[in-house]
Amino acid sequence: MSRSSAQQREGAGCVDGSWYPESVAEPARKRATYEDVISAPPHMVAEIVDGELHLSPRPGAPHSMAASVLATELGPPFSRGRGGPGGWLLLIEPEVHLGADILVPDYGGWRRERMPFVTDVPYFTLTPDWICEVLSPSTERTDRADKLPVYAREGVRHVWLVNPLQRTLEVLRLESGRWLTLAVHRDDARVRAEPFDAIELELGALWADVRIG
């Protein structure tokens, strides 16, 4: 067999009379596993979306303040039934396994008829009814572009997006598999936002104790 015939058979090519070997495909990307989540540094939040490990720094002060105040506002009336209808089980930073994806929202809620209590488990596999993500510059892209599609795929009915730097609350509802923005509330507005519209939320409380700049 001639040299040129052998090279053609092996998949070689020719450019300007010079032979080059056939390109070798890159190996398939290794998909992240739960072991990667467990092994993540303790100061990072570890999540897996579409087989890729996402590591995010622990929340900054404005983020932590907004999440903490929101918990104190929603917890008594909806989780404990004090000054509100009850009927919810609300958890801060639950680790949720949705199919092959592993997500850690800032706040999550299940209606008690679906999850009346928690057991001694390391994570949850039941899809939440409501999710809140508190956005920060380092996480907003992942929260919007990567995690929202997973929440939609798994049938999370309600999502809140809180931005403490912009002082906004976006209220989303899942309709026919797509996110519908019901409202964008700002600054010190007093709002009734589903699914917690049984009470009026003082939005300004989420950033009242934050000074930026």
Side-chain angles (χ1 to χ4, degrees):
M1 181 182 295
S2 67
R3 178 174 181 273
S4 61
S5 298
Q7 288 171 320
Q8 290 174 356
R9 184 171 180 176
E10 293 170 0
C14 179
V15 176
D16 296 332
S18 301
W19 288 95
Y20 61 93
E22 181 181 16
S23 61
V24 179
E26 294 183 1
R29 174 173 57 89
K30 180 184 176 182
R31 295 179 66 85
T33 67
Y34 190 47
E35 184 61 34
D36 296 308
V37 173
I38 296 173
S39 303
H43 63 283
M44 305 292 283
V45 178
E47 301 175 291
I48 295 177
V49 183
D50 193 24
E52 182 178 351
L53 179 67
H54 292 257
L55 295 176
S56 304
R58 299 302 302 180
H63 181 293
S64 296
M65 178 62 71
S68 298
V69 173
L70 186 62
T72 63
E73 292 291 319
L74 297 181
F78 293 100
S79 187
R80 309 309 304 168
R82 298 173 182 170
W88 285 81
L89 199 156
L90 301 172
L91 298 174
I92 297 174
E93 293 189 349
E95 182 178 307
V96 184
H97 291 219
L98 302 175
D101 299 307
I102 300 175
L103 306 180
V104 184
D106 292 289
Y107 207 15
W110 290 259
R111 295 185 185 275
R112 285 191 180 268
E113 59 262 29
R114 296 184 61 238
M115 191 168 78
F117 50 81
V118 299
T119 58
D120 186 15
V121 295
Y123 52 80
F124 300 91
T125 58
L126 182 65
T127 300
D129 296 289
W130 168 81
I131 285 294
C132 178
E133 297 285 3
V134 181
L135 308 178
S136 63
S138 63
T139 65
E140 182 170 3
R141 180 175 179 178
T142 296
D143 290 338
R144 290 186 182 277
D146 300 320
K147 296 171 71 173
L148 276 181
V150 175
Y151 294 146
R153 183 196 72 205
E154 297 298 322
V156 177
R157 181 65 172 165
H158 304 276
V159 167
W160 287 10
L161 300 176
V162 173
N163 191 322
L165 300 183
Q166 299 296 322
R167 301 187 7 151
T168 60
L169 164 64
E170 298 174 55
V171 183
L172 311 181
R173 182 205 297 155
L174 190 65
E175 294 285 354
S176 301
R178 300 174 65 88
W179 291 113
L180 173 66
T181 301
L182 300 180
V184 179
H185 303 289
R186 301 177 183 278
D187 299 322
D188 299 327
R190 303 173 69 93
V191 305
R192 291 183 180 271
E194 66 173 50
F196 303 117
D197 47 348
I199 68 165
E200 186 176 70
L201 178 65
E202 297 181 20
L203 201 59
L206 275 63
W207 25 80
D209 297 315
V210 175
R211 299 293 181 268
I212 299 175

